[in-house]
C-alpha cells in the first residue's frame, strides 16, 4: 500500500508561488443586441481562468435586467502573479428571467486575454467574440486596480424621503448608485442597491464594501451618489444626485444623523421654487475590521477534516480492473488521487492529524445490513483494507454524513470562538438518491462553521452536484429557504484526469479560505491573538 500512497504523493508537485498582489476587476459592456423588438437582454459576465489547458470559473457578476450597455457593480477579485501567464476568459451570457443560472442562458460572446494585458493597460476594451471567433458590434471593457493594504470594510445603510414621482400610474421604483471619483477624472461604480418598487420613501438594504473599493483608502475622496427610477425597458429615469466623502459619512458614527438633498440640476435651473427631488439619509455607517484566513489560522483555528467515500454498487466490483475502486499495485485510483491531493493540504492545519472517515452505501459483514462505515486514522491504508470485507450496495445517501459533521460544527458554533472549522470531503461516483434531504442539510449547515467539498469520480451525470454547488443560482431547501452562504464546491475529477493532483487540490480548496473568513467575520468573531494561543501538541 505504501507504493500507492507514495506514488500519489510524489505526483502532487506543489509549487509555492507567492501572490504579488490582489487585483480588482470591474466589467462593463456596450452594444449588446436586443433579444427581439420587445425585450432587452439580462446580461451577466462569468470570469474563467485557464489552468493546465482547461477553463475554470473563478467568479461572476450580478445579473442586470433589461440592459444593452450594462455596468456591473460586482467586483471580480483575482490574485496576480508577475511570473505567470494568467489567461482569463470573460463570457457574457443573457440570463433567462426565471433564474440566475447558466443552464438556459444564451451565450453572447467572450473576451480572452491575460491578466498582464489588463494590468499593464489598466483599462482594456475589446470586441466580444462569438462562436467561431467572429466579432459583432458588442464590446466589453475590463478595468484593473490593485487592492491596497487596507482590508477594512465599511457597512452602510441608506434610505430616502419624499423622492420625485416619475411614474404616471404608480410611484417611482428607486435605486441608489454610488460612484468613486478617480484622480484621472473618471468614475468607478462602487455599489448599486436593490430596487424598491412603488415607494417614494425607500429603505435600502445595508451593504458592505471595502474602503479600498469605496474611496481607495482616501477618506477625503469625492463620492457621487445618484438616485434613479427603475424602468423595465432599461431606460431608467434620473431623480437626483449629491456628492459626499467617506470622511463626512463617518459623522454618523458619532450619533449624528446625516442626510443630503437629492438635486436634479435641470430642475434646479428651470424651476424657481425648486428645493430638491427628495432627501437621502445615511442610517448606518460602521467600519468593520476584516480579518484574513491567516489571522484565524495563526490565532489557533484548526481545520477539522472529514472524508466520506462512496461504496455503492455503481462503482463496480473492486476486484475488476474497470472498477473505480480497483486497487492497482502501483497506480492510485481516482478515489485515492483525490483523497491524497486534498488531504495533503488539510492535514497541515489539523494538529492531531486524525481524520474521521466514513463510507456510505456498503453492506458490512457478518449480517450485511446497510450501515455507515467509520474509522479514524490511516485513511489510505484503511480504505484499501476495508474493500475486500464489504459488499458495494446502495443507495447514495449523503445527507446523513452532512448532518453528522454539522452536529460537531454546531457544538463549535455555540462556543462563539474561532477554534474549529469543519471541512467535509465527499467522494462519489454518481447521482445522489436523497436530494431533498441533502438540500435541507446544506441549508442548515450554511449557518455553521463548515464547508462541503464534493469530488465527482468517474463519468456519471453530475447535474445534481452542480445544483448543490449553487453556481447556477441560489440553492434552496425543499421548503424554499435559501442558503445563508455558499459552502459547497463541486469538482468533477474527469476535468483533472490529465492534470497534476496539485491542480485538483487548488480548484477544490480555492473557496475554503474565503468561506472561513466570511463565516467568522459575519458572526463578528475575532481571531485569537497568537500570543494567547497555547501551542497544540502534534500527533506522534
Amino acid at each position: 500500500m505504501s507504493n500507492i500512497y507514495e506514488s500519489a504523493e510524489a505526483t502532487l508537485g506543489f509549487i509555492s508561488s507567492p501572490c504579488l498582489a490582489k487585483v480588482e476587476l470591474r466589467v462593463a459592456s456596450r452594444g449588446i443586441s436586443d433579444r427581439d423588438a420587445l425585450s432587452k437582454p439580462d446580461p451577466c459576465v462569468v470570469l474563467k481562468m485557464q489552468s493546465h489547458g482547461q477553463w475554470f470559473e473563478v467568479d461572476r457578476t450580478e445579473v442586470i435586467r433589461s440592459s444593452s450597455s450594462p455596468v456591473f457593480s460586482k467586483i471580480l477579485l483575482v490574485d496576480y502573479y508577475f511570473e505567470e501567464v494568467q489567461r482569463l476568459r470573460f463570457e457574457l451570457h443573457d440570463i433567462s428571467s426565471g433564474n440566475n443560472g447558466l443552464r438556459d442562458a444564451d451565450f453572447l460572446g467572450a473576451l480572452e486575454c491575460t491578466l498582464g494585458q489588463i494590468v499593464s493597460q489598466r483599462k482594456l476594451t475589446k470586441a466580444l467574440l462569438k462562436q467561431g471567433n467572429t466579432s459583432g458590434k458588442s464590446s466589453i471593457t475590463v478595468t484593473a486596480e490593485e487592492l491596497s493594504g487596507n482590508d477594512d470594510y465599511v457597512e452602510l445603510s441608506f434610505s430616502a424621503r419624499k423622492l420625485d414621482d416619475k411614474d404616471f400610474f404608480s410611484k417611482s421604483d428607486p435605486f441608489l448608485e454610488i460612484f468613486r471619483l478617480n484622480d484621472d477624472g473618471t468614475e468607478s461604480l462602487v455599489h448599486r442597491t436593490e430596487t424598491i418598487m412603488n415607494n417614494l420613501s425607500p429603505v435600502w438594504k445595508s451593504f458592505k464594501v471595502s474602503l479600498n473599493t469605496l474611496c481607495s483608502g482616501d477618506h477625503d475622496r469625492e463620492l457621487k451618489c445618484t438616485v434613479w427610477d427603475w424602468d423595465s425597458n432599461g431606460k431608467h429615469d434620473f431623480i437626483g444626485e449629491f456628492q459626499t466623502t467617506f470622511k463626512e459619512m463617518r459623522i454618523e458614527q458619532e450619533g449624528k444623523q446625516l442626510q443630503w438633498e437629492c438635486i436634479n440640476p435641470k430642475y434646479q435651473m428651470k424651476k424657481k421654487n425648486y428645493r430638491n427631488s427628495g432627501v437621502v439619509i445615511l442610517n448606518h455607517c460602521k467600519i468593520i475590521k476584516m480579518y484574513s484566513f491567516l489571522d484565524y489560522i495563526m490565532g489557533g483555528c484548526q481545520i477539522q477534516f472529514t472524508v466520506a467515500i462512496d461504496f455503492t454498487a455503481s462503482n463496480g466490483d473492486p476486484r475488476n480492473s474497470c472498477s473505480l475502486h480497483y486497487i492497482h499495485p502501483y497506480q492510485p485510483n481516482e478515489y485515492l488521487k483525490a483523497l491524497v491531493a486534498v488531504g495533503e493540504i488539510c492535514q497541515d492545519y489539523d494538529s492531531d492529524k486524525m481524520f474521521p472517515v466514513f463510507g456510505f452505501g456498503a453492506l458490512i459483514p457478518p449480517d450485511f445490513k446497510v450501515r455507515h462505515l467509520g474509522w479514524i486514522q490511516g485513511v489510505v491504508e484503511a480504505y484499501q483494507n476495508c474493500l475486500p470485507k464489504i459488499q458495494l450496495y446502495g443507495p447514495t445517501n449523503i445527507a446523513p454524513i452532512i448532518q453528522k459533521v454539522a452536529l460537531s460544527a454546531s457544538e463549535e458554533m455555540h462556543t462563539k470562538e474561532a477554534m474549529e472549522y469543519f471541512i467535509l470531503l465527499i467522494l462519489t461516483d454518481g447521482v445522489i438518491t436523497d436530494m431533498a434531504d441533502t438540500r435541507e442539510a446544506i441549508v442548515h449547515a450554511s449557518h455553521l462553521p463548515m464547508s462541503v467539498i464534493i469530488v465527482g469520480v468517474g463519468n456519471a451525470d453530475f447535474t445534481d452536484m452542480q445544483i448543490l454547488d449553487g453556481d447556477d443560482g441560489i440553492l434552496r431547501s425543499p421548503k424554499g429557504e435559501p442558503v445563508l452562504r455558499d459552502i459547497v464546491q463541486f469538482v468533477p475529477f474527469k476535468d483533472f484526469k490529465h492534470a497534476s493532483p496539485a491542480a485538483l487540490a487548488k480548484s477544490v480548496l480555492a473557496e475554503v479560505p474565503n468561506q472561513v473568513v466570511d463565516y467568522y467575520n459575519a458572526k463578528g468573531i475575532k481571531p485569537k491573538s497568537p500570543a494567547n494561543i497555547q501551542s497544540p501538541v502534534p500527533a506522534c
Side-chain angles (χ1 to χ4, degrees), residues 115-142:
L115 183 56
Q117 288 175 312
I118 303 173
V119 169
S120 62
Q121 299 180 42
R122 294 202 63 184
K123 179 184 286 189
L124 181 67
T125 300
K126 293 278 188 181
L128 282 168
L129 297 181
K130 298 183 178 181
Q131 301 287 4
N133 287 333
T134 59
S135 60
K137 296 180 180 179
S138 54
S139 65
I140 188 168
T141 298
V142 184

Side-chain angles (χ1 to χ4, degrees), residues 208-368:
K208 295 175 185 175
V209 62
S210 73
L211 280 178
N212 183 76
T213 299
L214 180 66
C215 59
S216 300
D218 178 5
H219 293 198
D220 291 313
R221 184 175 295 276
E222 288 289 329
L223 304 173
K224 186 177 83 171
C225 303
T226 308
V227 181
W228 299 87
D229 169 32
W230 179 85
D231 282 333
S232 59
N233 62 7
K235 297 179 180 178
H236 311 308
D237 298 316
F238 176 72
I239 293 179
E241 64 185 15
F242 62 92
Q243 289 194 340
T244 184
T245 64
F246 179 62
K247 183 178 181 179
E248 184 180 27
M249 288 182 180
R250 292 188 65 179
I251 294 175
E252 198 279 333
Q253 285 187 295
E254 301 168 7
K256 301 174 184 176
Q257 190 179 65
L258 200 59
Q259 61 183 40
W260 300 268
E261 289 187 325
C262 194
I263 302 298
N264 186 322
K266 288 185 179 179
Y267 290 178
Q268 195 174 41
M269 290 178 63
K270 292 180 179 179
K271 296 183 178 181
K272 269 190 175 183
N273 298 323
Y274 177 79
R275 291 186 59 188
N276 57 55
S277 294
V279 174
V280 175
I281 304 152
L282 177 62
N283 300 316
H284 178 70
C285 175
K286 179 183 178 183
I287 295 179
I288 302 171
K289 172 66 178 175
M290 298 299 286
Y291 297 98
S292 70
F293 178 65
L294 286 181
D295 287 332
Y296 287 103
I297 294 301
M298 295 174 73
C301 184
Q302 297 283 301
I303 299 298
Q304 300 296 337
F305 181 54
T306 301
V307 181
I309 300 176
D310 184 340
F311 287 123
T312 55
S314 55
N315 285 278
D317 188 338
R319 295 168 295 183
N320 188 317
S321 61
C322 296
S323 170
L324 293 171
H325 281 303
Y326 179 69
I327 301 296
H328 190 281
Y330 302 106
Q331 178 63 36
N333 62 34
E334 292 185 6
Y335 278 97
L336 277 172
K337 286 179 181 177
L339 182 60
V340 173
V342 179
E344 280 289 299
I345 301 292
C346 292
Q347 71 175 1
D348 289 341
Y349 302 96
D350 187 342
S351 60
D352 63 8
K353 306 292 187 286
M354 304 282 278
F355 308 137
V357 182
F358 300 95
F360 56 92
L363 294 175
I364 306 172
D367 50 6
F368 286 96

